[in-house]
Amino acid sequence: MNAEYFKNSIRKIYDFPEKGIVFLDLTTAFKDPICMKYISDSLYELYKDKGITKVIGIESRGFIAGGDLAYRIGAGFVPVRKTGKLPGETVRITYSKEYGEDTIEMHEDAINENDIVLIHDDLLATGGTLKAAYNLVKTFGIKKVFVNFLVELDFLEGRKIFEKDLEIESLVHF
């Protein structure tokens, strides 16, 4: 199993969610046990020695590999969700995206200044949601942040909105 197999397992859906967009559907990779093993093993190898204490998964596809990675490296898992989905006290951030505004939130006691955090999502396009999650996480004064995606759409240059010294990894690129 290699990155090319994983990349080829991703289904392309044309004109979704609107005309002219080619949506990369990772559910076809997630249902393939060979791809899931590749994802799990690859993420583990990237982050096993980084001292990560919390993996933050972005709703909802970031929960799939993020939860597995947290288990494998012995870290906690923290979901970042859309407003109103989490019980208890939360902190939130509102941000602009391609199709308007959105708000994400996480529990206010989910991380602290002693944590080393990996923020994980399935795909980097323009980077709006992940940048919002990154900004939210930074308000906690944590020790270090890593960022990871399964797929990166290089032509949209989403990586450019982050600081140059931020460690960003993607398993495959389109």
Side-chain angles (χ1 to χ4, degrees):
M1 171 58 180
N2 59 32
E4 203 59 34
Y5 179 92
F6 170 54
K7 190 174 184 178
N8 290 332
S9 74
I10 299 168
R11 175 176 34 205
K12 294 178 178 80
I13 300 177
Y14 295 89
D15 298 324
F16 181 83
E18 62 183 47
K19 191 163 182 55
I21 303 290
V22 179
F23 183 83
L24 297 181
D25 178 17
L26 272 75
T27 64
T28 52
F30 293 150
K31 74 178 182 179
D32 182 335
I34 296 169
C35 285
M36 286 300 291
K37 181 172 178 13
Y38 170 76
I39 291 167
S40 181
D41 291 347
S42 297
L43 292 178
Y44 176 74
E45 288 302 319
L46 281 170
Y47 297 106
K48 67 182 179 185
D49 298 323
K50 302 284 187 180
I52 294 166
T53 57
K54 301 281 175 38
V55 174
I56 296 179
I58 309 299
E59 184 172 333
S60 65
R61 291 179 304 269
F63 297 173
I64 297 166
D68 176 65
L69 178 61
Y71 168 75
R72 289 201 60 190
I73 64 174
F77 179 78
V78 176
V80 168
R81 303 205 61 193
K82 294 179 181 167
T83 304
K85 301 286 187 176
L86 292 171
E89 297 298 318
T90 62
V91 291
R92 65 183 57 164
I93 190 167
T94 299
Y95 63 100
S96 297
K97 34 189 270 190
E98 308 88 60
Y99 311 111
E101 275 194 347
D102 211 347
T103 301
I104 55 173
E105 61 186 11
M106 62 189 282
H107 284 123
E108 68 179 10
D109 61 354
I111 59 176
N112 64 56
E113 67 278 352
N114 296 314
D115 282 315
I116 298 172
V117 171
L118 169 69
I119 305 172
H120 169 77
D121 205 359
D122 66 323
L123 187 136
L124 174 60
T126 60
T129 302
L130 207 293
K131 180 68 171 183
Y134 175 76
N135 290 338
L136 184 61
V137 164
K138 292 294 279 185
T139 66
F140 287 86
I142 57 170
K143 286 183 177 180
K144 183 155 178 69
V145 181
F146 299 92
V147 173
N148 171 265
F149 304 95
L150 300 179
V151 173
E152 185 170 343
L153 304 180
D154 295 331
F155 64 94
L156 292 176
E157 300 182 326
R159 185 180 286 251
K160 285 187 173 182
I161 66 172
F162 296 97
E163 293 85 18
K164 296 210 182 308
D165 63 340
L166 180 62
E167 198 172 309
I168 302 172
E169 296 284 347
S170 300
L171 295 186
V172 297
H173 297 260
F174 282 87

